[in-house]
Amino acid sequence: MSKNKQFLGIDVSKDVLDVYDYQGNWYQFKNDASGFKELLLITSDLTHCIMEATGYYHVRLAYFLTEKGVLVSVENPLKIKRFIQMNLSKVKTDKSDAKQLYNYGVSQAPSIWKGESKEQQECLQIVRLLSVYTKQSTQLKNKLHGESVLGTPSKLVVGSLKRQLKNIQKEMVKLEDLLLENVKKSYQEEVTLLKSIPGIGGKTALMLLVFTDGFKRFTSAKELCSYAGITPTIRESGSSKKGRPRISKMGNPKLRNLLFMCSFNACKYNKTCRELYDRIVAKGKSKKLALIAVCNKLLKQAFAIIKSGLPYDANYKSTLV
């Protein structure tokens, strides 16, 4: 164990926090403000808390501890699951999970979780709500179409559906305006730079900045592509097994879907992307594979433009030193 840190493994559930400390003690607190304060009493300046991302349940605790100056790591649940399997653990309880999180922190030295600013949190909440409203809007439109093909559709039902659809569309317009206002407060210049890339429009530029927190969390384009889940994975074993290369899909699905939709326009208007698409298709590869390569290229272009602060240049050619 690191001499400078005292790890705490915290298994977070809806109502309870199960905690295992470096002395082998086990505690249980409520997953609310009073429980957070009790947990704080067993921490010190050397404490490093390890927890896994559990949907919404871990978020309040992570921000509370970070604000109090406690080191926090929020790990991918798949990582923790594989770590537990690697140790051949035969017990699966909240208490044992807390101990395994502690062991993970001691052996793996996970990176520190930083969280998002209040503005970024609000933007992400708006995006999630817009996603819900978009699905509801599509459902209502489909239902209206279904009712219209009936011989005698009910005026009462059709009227109710139209009113619901109108209300949702009004709310979506308000949320989109609020999102635009919030993003432009922090990233006015970045929005302009991204819109200079052929194939990326205003809404896409906003979403890219929201999903990546203005590209601040990434030091390379490779990290960004991994976050989007569009990097290839290769499965080979000897000479008998050679699987088809696929993208990992271990990343942000909304960002990945957004890029895939943009790839169609990029193939039309972005010279570099169009040449890449034509080159891959000419080799006999599938069009879907070519579009995924275009997604990768688009994201790399966006990263390079934001980091350099220079608008898109169709005639730019990279040089290797």
Side-chain angles (χ1 to χ4, degrees):
M1 184 176 71
S2 171
K3 296 180 180 179
N4 299 323
K5 294 179 182 177
Q6 297 173 353
F7 289 96
L8 283 182
I10 306 178
D11 181 73
V12 183
S13 59
K14 181 180 179 181
D15 302 311
V16 178
L17 307 174
D18 289 277
V19 182
Y20 185 91
D21 72 5
Y22 64 99
Q23 294 178 327
N25 299 316
W26 175 65
Y27 306 89
Q28 204 171 55
F29 306 107
K30 290 183 178 180
N31 190 2
D32 58 20
S34 63
F36 298 166
K37 291 178 182 178
E38 291 177 14
L39 171 61
L40 199 61
L41 296 176
I42 66 170
T43 64
S44 68
D45 294 338
L46 302 178
T47 301
H48 185 168
C49 296
I50 315 296
M51 63 185 78
E52 61 180 347
T54 54
Y56 295 104
Y57 299 136
H58 73 282
V59 175
R60 283 196 305 161
L61 175 61
Y63 277 108
F64 174 84
L65 291 173
T66 302
E67 289 172 2
K68 298 299 181 181
V70 180
L71 298 178
V72 175
S73 290
V74 180
E75 292 298 300
N76 188 313
L78 185 60
K79 278 187 178 182
I80 306 301
K81 181 179 179 180
R82 294 289 185 261
F83 178 80
I84 294 173
Q85 290 175 339
M86 182 182 69
N87 292 326
L88 302 178
S89 176
K90 298 179 182 178
V91 181
K92 180 69 174 72
T93 64
D94 292 340
K95 185 176 179 179
S96 68
D97 285 349
K99 184 176 180 179
Q100 291 290 355
L101 284 163
Y102 164 81
N103 292 334
Y104 178 87
V106 172
S107 62
Q108 301 300 316
S111 58
I112 304 301
W113 181 81
K114 297 179 181 178
E116 291 100 9
S117 64
K118 291 183 178 179
E119 294 78 12
Q120 176 70 2
Q121 290 179 57
E122 184 177 39
C123 287
L124 287 170
Q125 290 176 38
I126 291 173
V127 168
R128 286 193 288 264
L129 185 55
L130 278 171
S131 178
V132 172
Y133 283 164
T134 300
K135 290 179 182 177
Q136 291 179 351
S137 175
T138 302
Q139 289 173 348
L140 289 170
K141 288 177 181 177
N142 291 339
K143 182 63 177 173
L144 273 170
H145 175 72
E147 294 296 329
S148 66
V149 298
L150 293 175
T152 54
S154 169
K155 292 182 179 180
L156 181 65
V157 170
V158 171
S160 178
L161 288 170
K162 286 183 176 179
R163 286 192 298 272
Q164 289 294 325
L165 180 59
K166 187 176 181 180
N167 289 335
I168 287 176
Q169 289 173 338
K170 280 184 179 179
E171 289 299 318
M172 289 178 69
V173 170
K174 290 180 183 178
L175 288 171
E176 287 171 355
D177 290 342
L178 181 59
L179 182 64
L180 177 61
E181 183 182 341
N182 288 351
V183 173
K184 282 191 172 181
K185 282 180 183 177
S186 305
Y187 304 116
Q188 174 65 64
E189 184 179 352
E190 286 82 353
V191 171
T192 304
L193 287 171
L194 287 176
K195 286 169 65 177
S196 70
I197 303 174
I200 294 183
K203 286 187 178 180
T204 303
L206 291 180
M207 294 300 181
L208 277 174
L209 290 167
V210 170
F211 288 141
T212 62
D213 196 8
F215 296 82
K216 293 176 183 175
R217 295 175 176 269
F218 306 97
T219 57
S220 68
K222 186 180 290 187
E223 285 183 9
L224 182 57
C225 291
S226 294
Y227 173 72
I230 55 176
T231 51
T233 58
I234 300 173
R235 298 175 183 271
E236 292 182 1
S237 179
S239 59
S240 60
K241 181 179 177 182
K242 188 173 182 180
R244 290 176 57 192
R246 300 175 182 274
I247 58 173
S248 68
K249 292 190 177 181
M250 294 177 67
N252 189 320
K254 292 181 180 177
L255 177 57
R256 189 165 57 250
N257 293 338
L258 179 70
L259 289 167
F260 190 75
M261 296 305 295
C262 290
S263 65
F264 293 96
N265 276 335
C267 289
K268 293 180 181 179
Y269 305 112
N270 191 311
K271 178 184 175 184
T272 307
C273 291
R274 184 173 62 251
E275 290 174 350
L276 174 64
Y277 177 86
D278 292 340
R279 187 164 63 250
I280 292 175
V281 172
K283 290 180 179 179
K285 305 293 185 181
S286 69
K287 292 182 179 179
K288 186 175 181 180
L289 178 65
L291 288 171
I292 291 170
V294 169
C295 292
N296 203 299
K297 174 63 74 175
L298 264 181
L299 203 51
K300 288 179 178 178
Q301 287 179 346
F303 180 84
I305 281 172
I306 292 297
K307 293 299 181 180
S308 68
L310 300 173
Y312 177 80
D313 181 4
N315 298 317
Y316 174 80
K317 293 192 181 215
S318 62
T319 56
L320 298 176
V321 178

